Amino acid sequence: MIAVLGLAVGIVAGLFLEPTVPTWLQAYLPIAVVAALDAVFGGLRALLDGIFDDKVFVVSFVANVLVAALIVYLGDQLGVGSQLSTGVVVVLGIRIFSNAAAIRRHLFDA
Amino acid sequence: MTDPTDGAAPRAPEGRGVGRRRLLTALRSRPTGGQLVAAALCALLGFAVAVQVRANQDVALTGLRQSDLVRILDDVTERSARLQAEARDLEDTRSRVTGGSSGTRAALEDARARSETLAILAGTVPARGPGIEFTIGDPDGKVGSDVLLDALQELRDAGGEAFEIATVGGPAVRVAASTYLADDDGGISVDGTHLRSPYRFRVIGDSRTLAAALDIPGGVLDVLRQRDAQGSVTQLARLEITSLRPVPAPQYARPAPEDNGG
């Protein structure tokens, strides 16, 4: 419950504060957001599976974000940043879809 | 667990509605410390999403990485070069059309000058310059078209360039190559216009030469004296001939193409 509240509070804060993204973060923020989305969907699925654990969720969330940013950073250094970003987004997208499928089966039994 | 590598695999049967019950339980449960941290992370995620969406809407260029910027710069540079080449082409065309090349302009000036000369000769434009006024008073009607024609030829030979024959205070006729003079009922007819004495020639040319040409022994002034008529010549530094001839549109003749060399 409180997690949903947190999400809403974050969105509202982002909309109303209108902060500017620092330059060094601009390449990584989109990927980090997708990775965090993946973690949230994974957490939701774990909750429905009855195996949700706060600590695992926090660790996986932070780790996902950091790894995604690291991959993008590495790609930028290697000169394949945009391609690697695309790859990361595709992989995370697949995971999000599969998690969403699992969540759907739990909620709608279909 | 957030590792969903088996996410698409069918779940083991655990009874219908179990997931939904678990979700409701979770929603109703009291927050623990760990859940607070998870909520904070979710807030961070929401914040990041909102910021990113807004940043994406705001600016097109600041969020791009170096390679993208270089590509865009290349595109813009290429486009600008293309447009500059196009502009150069158009400017070339414009300068060609408006006679930018010296040869074309010179030819144009040449043609214009020639057209002005021909227009003066044909009597279709007013003419101005030094010249003489030659007035003939013929109260007895003894001066016919032959005398006037002689006078005209004399003035032409003396280098007159533009001619007008008029009745003093009356109609005026511009003289061109096709002008004819005929005796006509107590006066003369010039190109069909009836003129009466006193006659006045107005001629543009070197005024002294023109005056001298009329005053030679046996010349026009002598003839006039023999016929009891008075001729007087006035030299003018500035004279304007404003009478015009209509421009005839040739019905059959067309300009023949010139040789390129001519």
Side-chain angles (χ1 to χ4, degrees):
Chain A
M1 184 66 204
I2 194 169
V4 176
L5 269 181
L7 189 62
V9 167
I11 291 176
V12 170
L15 286 179
F16 279 89
L17 292 182
E18 298 189 15
T20 50
V21 186
T23 314
W24 58 268
L25 197 61
Q26 275 172 351
Y28 307 118
L29 187 58
I31 299 297
V33 165
V34 176
L37 270 179
D38 172 53
V40 168
F41 273 91
L44 189 54
R45 175 188 168 185
L47 179 72
L48 298 177
D49 282 347
I51 52 174
F52 181 76
D53 183 76
D54 301 337
K55 205 171 71 181
V56 173
F57 174 71
V58 171
V59 169
S60 76
F61 187 102
V62 174
N64 258 10
V65 168
L66 287 183
V67 168
L70 186 68
I71 289 175
V72 174
Y73 172 78
L74 202 59
D76 269 348
Q77 299 306 309
L78 294 175
V80 291
S82 54
Q83 293 92 323
L84 211 46
S85 300
T86 309
V88 169
V89 168
V90 167
V91 169
L92 291 177
I94 292 172
R95 285 165 53 103
I96 289 173
F97 261 102
S98 60
N99 278 334
I103 292 165
R104 186 200 67 219
R105 268 193 289 277
H106 272 298
L107 293 183
F108 306 113
D109 296 321
Chain B
M1 273 299 234
T2 60
D3 184 17
T5 45
D6 58 342
R11 306 305 304 166
E14 18 177 25
R16 300 190 155 254
V18 176
R20 257 173 289 188
R21 252 179 285 121
R22 278 179 191 149
L23 183 61
L24 289 176
T25 314
L27 284 178
R28 289 198 194 104
S29 67
R30 297 189 150 274
T32 64
Q35 282 185 348
L36 279 178
V37 176
L41 286 180
C42 283
L44 191 64
L45 170 62
F47 186 73
V49 168
V51 167
Q52 177 62 26
V53 167
R54 186 169 285 274
N56 243 3
Q57 286 168 348
D58 273 358
V59 252
L61 292 179
T62 51
L64 297 178
R65 63 189 84 233
Q66 199 178 355
S67 55
D68 292 340
L69 288 173
V70 168
R71 185 175 46 75
I72 290 177
L73 189 61
D74 277 351
D75 284 355
V76 170
T77 311
E78 193 185 329
R79 180 140 169 263
S80 136
R82 214 169 43 235
L83 288 176
Q84 270 173 5
E86 199 176 325
R88 253 196 319 277
D89 281 355
L90 290 174
E91 273 170 10
D92 280 355
T93 309
R94 187 186 66 184
S95 56
R96 252 203 324 278
V97 166
T98 58
S101 72
S102 57
T104 314
R105 187 179 298 166
L108 200 62
E109 291 294 322
D110 202 27
R112 190 171 296 144
R114 205 160 53 167
S115 136
E116 280 170 6
T117 308
L118 292 173
I120 288 175
L121 286 180
T124 55
V125 295
R128 186 169 61 190
I132 61 164
E133 274 188 4
F134 173 36
T135 312
I136 300 169
D138 175 30
D140 303 333
K142 290 181 180 171
V143 176
S145 60
D146 54 335
V147 181
L148 295 182
L149 186 60
D150 278 349
L152 190 57
Q153 296 294 6
E154 207 67 68
L155 291 168
R156 269 192 178 133
D157 290 346
E161 291 169 356
F163 305 84
E164 178 190 88
I165 305 177
T167 303
V168 174
V173 179
R174 182 77 173 263
V175 177
S178 60
T179 299
Y180 69 87
L181 289 85
D183 290 322
D184 180 23
D185 190 23
I188 58 166
S189 166
V190 181
D191 285 343
T193 302
H194 184 70
L195 300 181
R196 308 188 64 81
S197 171
Y199 309 107
R200 174 183 284 160
F201 284 75
R202 303 174 83 219
V203 182
I204 289 178
D206 180 45
S207 55
R208 268 193 300 179
T209 311
L210 293 170
L214 297 174
D215 208 11
I216 55 173
V220 176
L221 288 177
D222 269 356
V223 172
L224 290 176
R225 274 192 288 273
Q226 289 163 16
R227 301 199 183 186
D228 299 327
Q230 301 89 42
S232 70
V233 177
T234 314
Q235 298 186 29
L236 297 170
R238 187 184 164 87
L239 175 67
E240 194 155 344
I241 296 180
T242 51
S243 59
L244 301 179
R245 300 176 69 83
V247 183
Q251 190 178 354
Y252 302 106
R254 294 285 178 272
E258 283 183 60
D259 291 340
N260 285 338

